[in-house]
């Protein structure tokens, strides 16, 4: 299925304003792979969620292009509905698919954070401290990407944890 942008480009040709200036850098890990904005929409978790929501009489409509947090809320709602109609195995499987996808996303985010730390020459101690305090890896990666590299290299482990952590 083509995205709206590619459909419009096919119908009307490329727009000079959007092609001339790109808002995302190609090296930005948050715009690629499992960390991209709509990456969850192509996951087995969402595919199964759509099927199970449609099978319920009171199933919510997931719609197109929902945000990750909304998809998680709908998943919880569908799981509760499935349990009410005694389909606990399906609810458990849906929860496992969601948790597996979120774990893969967190793992990819931590790998990107670690790569940023190595590129900037930041200490492994600071990286481990951020990870051990239970910080959200995607949020830490966003903050790390937005911060000035020169400023980050001058910070100690404690201040890096405060900046990138919870």
């Amino acid at each position: 299925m083509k995205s709206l942008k590619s459909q419009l480009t096919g119908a009307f040709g490329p727009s000079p304003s959007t092609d001339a200036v790109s808002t995302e850098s190609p090296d930005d890990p948050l715009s690629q792979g499992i960390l991209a904005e709509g990456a969850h929409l192509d996951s087995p978790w969402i595919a199964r969620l759509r099927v199970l929501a449609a099978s319920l009489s009171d199933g919510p409509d997931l719609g197109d292009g929902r945000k990750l947090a909304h998809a998680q809320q709908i998943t919880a709602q569908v799981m509760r509905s499935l349990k009410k109609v005694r389909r606990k195995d399906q609810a458990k499987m849906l929860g496992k698919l969601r948790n597996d996808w979120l774990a893969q996303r967190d793992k990819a985010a931590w790998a990107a954070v670690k790569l940023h730390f190595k590129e900037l020459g930041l200490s492994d101690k600071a990286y481990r401290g951020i990870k051990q305090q239970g910080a959200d890896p995607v949020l830490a990666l966003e903050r790390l990407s937005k911060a000035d590299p020169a400023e980050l290299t001058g910070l100690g482990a404690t201040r890096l944890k405060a900046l990138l952590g919870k």
Side-chain angles (χ1 to χ4, degrees):
M1 184 171 173
K2 292 184 178 179
S3 69
L4 179 60
K5 183 178 179 182
S6 63
Q7 290 175 0
L8 290 172
T9 302
F12 300 108
S15 170
S17 63
T18 57
D19 291 341
V21 179
S22 176
T23 58
E24 296 177 351
S25 74
D27 296 333
D28 183 18
L30 292 169
S31 65
Q32 302 171 7
I34 198 167
L35 297 174
E37 177 94 17
H40 63 285
L41 297 173
D42 297 329
S43 70
W45 158 45
I46 297 297
R48 190 66 186 151
L49 176 61
R50 288 183 194 282
V51 170
L52 291 174
S55 72
L56 295 168
S57 61
D58 63 340
D61 179 30
L62 185 60
D64 294 333
R66 296 292 183 172
K67 299 281 186 187
L68 177 61
H70 190 255
Q72 289 176 305
Q73 289 174 343
I74 290 177
T75 299
Q77 183 180 356
V78 167
M79 287 173 65
R80 280 191 302 272
S81 296
L82 286 169
K83 288 176 184 177
K84 283 182 185 175
V85 294
R86 300 175 193 243
R87 293 166 56 186
K88 291 180 182 178
D89 290 342
Q90 291 177 342
K92 187 176 180 180
M93 183 202 44
L94 181 61
K96 182 181 179 339
L97 286 171
R98 177 198 56 204
N99 294 343
D100 289 348
W101 189 87
L102 290 172
Q104 287 177 349
R105 181 175 183 256
D106 285 351
K107 187 175 180 177
W110 281 124
V113 168
K114 188 170 188 172
L115 182 65
H116 271 303
F117 266 65
K118 286 189 186 238
E119 289 173 351
L120 295 173
L122 301 173
S123 74
D124 287 337
K125 181 180 179 181
Y127 168 77
R128 287 191 309 270
I130 293 166
K131 194 169 180 180
Q132 287 175 354
Q133 79 181 25
D136 178 14
V138 177
L139 183 60
L141 182 59
E142 286 176 8
R143 291 177 180 168
L144 188 63
S145 299
K146 291 178 183 177
D148 181 27
E151 181 182 320
L152 289 173
T153 56
L155 293 178
T158 306
R159 293 189 64 203
L160 269 172
K161 281 172 47 176
L163 177 69
L164 303 176
K166 288 184 178 179

